[in-house]
Amino acid sequence: MAAAATLAAAARELVLRAGTSDMEEEEGPLGGGPGLQEPLQLGELDITSNEFILDEGVDLRHYSKQVELELQQIEQKSIRDYIQESENIASLHNQITACDAVLERMEQMLGAFQSDLSSISSEIRTLQEQSGAMNIRLRNRQAVRGKLGELVDGLVVPSALVTAILEAPVTEPRFLEQLQELDAKAAAVREQEARGTAACADVRGVLDRLRVKAVTKIREFILQKIYSFRKPMTNYQIPQTALLKYRFFYQFLLGNERATAKEIRDEYVETLSKIYLSYYRSYLGRLMKVQYEEVAEKDDLMGVEDTAKKDILPSLRSRNTIFTLGTRGSVISPTELEAPILVPHTAQRGEQRYPFEALFRSQHYALLDNSCREYLFICEFFVVSGPAAHDLFHAVMGRTLNMTLKHLESYLADCYDAIAVFLCIHIVLRFRNIAAKRDVPALDRYWEQVLALLWPRFELILEMNVQSVRSTDPQRLGGLDTRPHYITRRYAEFSSALVSINQTIPNERTIQLLGQLQVEVENFVLRVAAEFSSRKEQLVFLINNYDMMLGVLMERAADDSKEVESFQQLLNARTQEFIEELLSPPFGGLVAFVKEAEALIERGQAERLRGEEARVTQLIRGFGSSWKSSVESLSQDVMRSFTNFRNGTSIIQGALTQLIQLYHRFHRVLSQPQLRALPARAELINIHHLMVELKKHKPNF
């Protein structure tokens, strides 16, 4: 019974849950209830649990009837609820129907949109294809139009071009502009004719007539400018400058009428060639009239006897010196080298005279300046470069250059002024560098030809001087004198001049020739010195000449030059020998004893000095009594013998220094044990006292 009762209770609860669930489901959609609850899942119920086990003794039929009754009650209740919510359900049905209608219309609209989009996409693809085809046709038409436009523009002859070529003067800017246009059209027509373009025949006649007219006007204009060069006293540089403004005229002729271009070039070459030749021949003739009247002759050589004394006091207004440089070296200084050229008639009015190298510089600076300007004009106006420019330049300047070379060759044949020739060589070397800086190589061959004339003549004159010194006989030079010889003075001035010039642009050949001349001069000095009877006079002569040559060389040459070093060594050697010769008469006994005693001491034979007591005593007393008078006589003798007071002072100082050293060595010998007890040692002069006294004899100048 208990089990039956439990089962009935469980069934009732299940029915209630189901009924409740149904009600909630009905209420939920209508919005009347609190909301749907989770549905009862019968699969989740465990009918074996205690709540599903009926109490024992329960009647199942009764229990099922009871359940059935409850279900009916619930069903009726549910019906009542549905009836109550019928309006809401009807309203919901109407709303759902309306929504279905709206959704159906939306579906139709979207379908229409989809259909439209499909058709639009197809149209877009069609438009894209049409656009691509149109772009291709456009590009093709533009390409054809461009080519055709260029062709038409190149062939069409505008009226402005015809008017300018036929009527405008050639000096007007519009004529030049239209001439350039005509040249471009003529070139375009020639190009199209080569391609077989038939339209060229329509404009060929017009262009030819315009070309002939332009060529005629240009020819007359340029020839008129060239003829203006021929007028006397005309500065041809002005018409040249004017022609450069119209250099396109010649380019036009060169491209369209080569015969006329050649005619103009030949006329220019012929005209300018004559003008340059006439100008330089006249200038050169007038220039040579202001040269020094007295120039070096064949007998004006270094070793020739100086009978007329030509080179001692030359007239600075009438001639230049032969062996001295003076101010002549300024001609190669930067300021003088590119100074304005000489004006002959001005110099003649002022009675001015110039050495040959000054005339040579003026002549060749004018030649350099005009040649550079001419070469640059030829390259720019006649549109040439390289070998063609060289050929055209030499066609214009060749006659002038040849005339200049012949004149130089003629002058050098009778020129014996080595300094002038050497200065001309260095002028050419500097002008060649200037031409290179101006980028004008056309004169290179001319410079080489000039140097080929100058160098052999310079070497010949130098060799003639060398030979003259070599062949000089001292016995034919007159009386002997210990003062510097005029030949050595000539050499000193001449050598210092060449050395100072050569230092700017060294040349090994010049150094070799100067070396040969130096050797001959040294031999000459030795030959003359051998004519003196005493060695002292020989040394005085040698020292005077070496000192003079060294002094002159050091004024212009560098201290480390070969000539300066050589004569410095010779002077030092002869000076030392002279000092020994000078000290020998008054102090020769003292010198001999000191050398002998030092030799004995060095060999370990100092005991032999004990036998020299009497000799030592005589030397001590003799020195003490005569050294002052001897030194005074020595100083006077030196100052009388040497022309250079500074050199004489140096020799006296060297002699006194050597005397002090000698007496100091004498003191050291007497300090040896063998002579230390010598009574005469008390008479020795104190070395410091001697030095003080000797300083009083040092001459001051």
Side-chain angles (χ1 to χ4, degrees), residues 177-242:
E177 294 175 0
Q178 296 303 323
L179 184 67
Q180 293 173 341
E181 181 69 17
L182 176 61
D183 185 61
K185 288 187 178 299
V189 168
R190 287 194 296 269
E191 181 181 355
Q192 293 301 327
E193 283 180 340
R195 296 179 179 178
T197 304
C200 296
D202 297 337
V203 295
R204 167 53 66 184
V206 177
L207 291 178
D208 286 344
R209 289 191 293 273
L210 290 175
R211 178 181 58 80
V212 171
K213 182 62 177 179
V215 167
T216 303
K217 296 175 70 173
I218 291 171
R219 176 181 175 278
E220 293 176 356
F221 172 76
I222 297 179
L223 288 178
Q224 182 182 2
K225 289 292 183 182
I226 294 175
Y227 294 152
S228 67
F229 295 165
R230 303 175 180 178
K231 297 179 181 179
M233 307 300 293
T234 298
N235 184 358
Y236 60 88
Q237 296 176 4
I238 295 176
Q240 276 187 335
T241 304

Side-chain angles (χ1 to χ4, degrees), residues 21-31 36 78-79 81-82:
S21 177
D22 292 338
M23 291 178 65
E24 288 175 354
E25 288 178 358
E26 291 177 0
E27 292 176 358
L30 298 177
L36 295 174
S78 296
I79 291 171
D81 289 338
Y82 278 114

Side-chain angles (χ1 to χ4, degrees), residues 263-281:
E263 177 190 2
I264 289 176
R265 186 180 66 179
D266 293 343
E267 190 65 33
Y268 176 86
V269 169
E270 183 67 19
T271 301
L272 267 293
S273 176
K274 291 179 179 179
I275 290 175
Y276 280 124
L277 180 62
S278 174
Y279 169 77
Y280 276 101
R281 181 184 286 125

Side-chain angles (χ1 to χ4, degrees), residues 93 113 206 222 268 310 323 378 383 424 685:
H93 177 73
F113 286 159
V206 177
I222 297 179
Y268 176 86
K310 289 184 179 178
F323 299 107
I378 287 173
V383 198
C424 291
I685 300 175

Side-chain angles (χ1 to χ4, degrees), residues 66-83:
Q66 185 179 351
V67 169
E68 184 179 357
L69 180 61
E70 290 176 357
L71 288 174
Q72 290 176 355
Q73 293 175 354
I74 293 171
E75 181 181 2
Q76 291 175 0
K77 185 177 180 181
S78 296
I79 291 171
R80 286 193 301 272
D81 289 338
Y82 278 114
I83 292 172

